[in-house]
Amino acid sequence: MQETTSKLLIITAPSGAGKTSITRHLMKKFPQLAFSISAATREPRKHEQNGRDYYFISTEEFQTRIQDDAFVEWEMVYEGKYYGTLKSELQRIWQNAQIPVLDIDVKGAIHVQGLYPKQTLSVFIEPPSIEELKRRLESRGTETEDSLQARINKASYEISFKHSFHEVIMNDDLQKACARAEEIVAAFIAAP
Ligand code: 5GP
């Protein structure tokens, strides 16, 4: 499986920190990057598409894939909801001579960078505060009271791991955070 010379970019953050916006910005900017589509068992949100945002699969199918050793990593990110990076997805992107961009949770990110230590750049997006994170999640309107609370609880825990990553970008201003991410990623792409 291992493609030792192929690079890998991980963007990680608590839910609501602005990771998706920054990732999208990078994808637009750098044609060398390709989004690594994870498999997930949660319900698709309104504007999400299967095969673009996630491969939405059933819990049974996910468990079969685990048994088949199809994942680079997988986590039960939230109670009862599985998310995982498929080996086939990284291979597809590397074969295309592109760099996979993994938008994954902190635990998954630490796991993957341990698997590919030499070829990975990991970036942690830090929210300005837990209060701001809560406000952003509420205004997104995608969470129930319970799932919002679960995301907030997990966020404080995740922030405590920020020093495990190569770069930390504070997202108190999205434009500035995107510009900083762009600088970091341009250097990573250009490096031998
Ligand atoms: P959401 O439900 O908001 O799309 O994602 C919830 C969390 O799961 C986010 O932090 C996201 O980055 C993470 N996530 C998405 N795909 C994967 C994956 O393949 N593996 C892991 N470990 N986390 C993932």
Side-chain angles (χ1 to χ4, degrees):
M1 158 77 189
Q2 181 124 350
E3 312 252 342
T4 46
T5 56
S6 307
K7 295 177 184 175
L8 194 83
L9 173 62
I10 301 174
I11 312 278
T12 190
S15 177
K19 179 173 45 157
T20 307
S21 309
I22 294 170
T23 303
R24 286 207 183 121
H25 173 79
L26 292 171
M27 307 294 308
K28 263 199 225 149
K29 211 73 202 175
F30 299 106
Q32 298 93 328
L33 303 178
F35 186 67
S36 163
I37 304 162
S38 294
T41 64
R42 74 155 167 75
E43 288 299 310
R45 294 182 189 134
K46 231 189 199 155
H47 300 290
E48 286 181 330
Q49 269 176 31
N50 186 32
R52 185 193 67 183
D53 300 287
Y54 284 106
Y55 299 115
F56 292 104
I57 62 176
S58 67
T59 303
E60 293 68 36
E61 196 178 339
F62 201 102
Q63 286 166 343
T64 305
R65 299 272 183 101
I66 294 173
Q67 272 159 18
D68 294 345
D69 198 24
F71 290 106
V72 178
E73 63 80 37
W74 62 269
E75 298 286 338
M76 187 178 279
V77 175
Y78 296 107
E79 193 68 29
K81 302 294 172 203
Y82 291 101
Y83 295 74
T85 307
L86 290 159
K87 291 179 179 173
S88 57
E89 187 64 10
L90 297 191
Q91 224 133 37
R92 174 183 75 76
I93 295 170
W94 280 330
Q95 272 163 12
N96 225 6
Q98 287 179 296
I99 301 173
V101 180
L102 279 63
D103 168 343
I104 60 179
D105 82 333
V106 163
K107 227 166 144 192
I110 290 172
H111 185 172
V112 175
Q113 83 175 356
L115 291 174
Y116 304 103
K118 293 210 174 89
Q119 66 220 71
T120 298
L121 171 70
S122 59
V123 179
F124 182 89
I125 311 295
E126 185 174 12
S129 65
I130 290 290
E131 292 69 36
E132 173 61 14
L133 194 77
K134 186 161 185 246
R135 204 189 54 73
R136 289 183 193 173
L137 283 170
E138 278 168 348
S139 69
R140 196 163 83 177
T142 53
E143 307 307 319
T144 63
E145 192 54 44
D146 281 356
S147 75
L148 182 99
Q149 200 48 53
R151 282 169 192 255
I152 296 293
N153 293 345
K154 189 170 147 82
S156 318
Y157 175 73
E158 291 193 314
I159 292 168
S160 71
F161 287 96
K162 69 177 182 182
H163 297 299
S164 308
F165 303 104
H166 298 123
E167 300 281 350
V168 177
I169 299 177
M170 161 64 71
N171 183 18
D172 48 0
D173 174 328
L174 184 59
Q175 233 177 344
K176 280 191 194 147
C178 285
R180 178 71 189 125
E182 216 179 297
E183 263 173 33
I184 292 168
V185 170
F188 176 61
I189 291 174

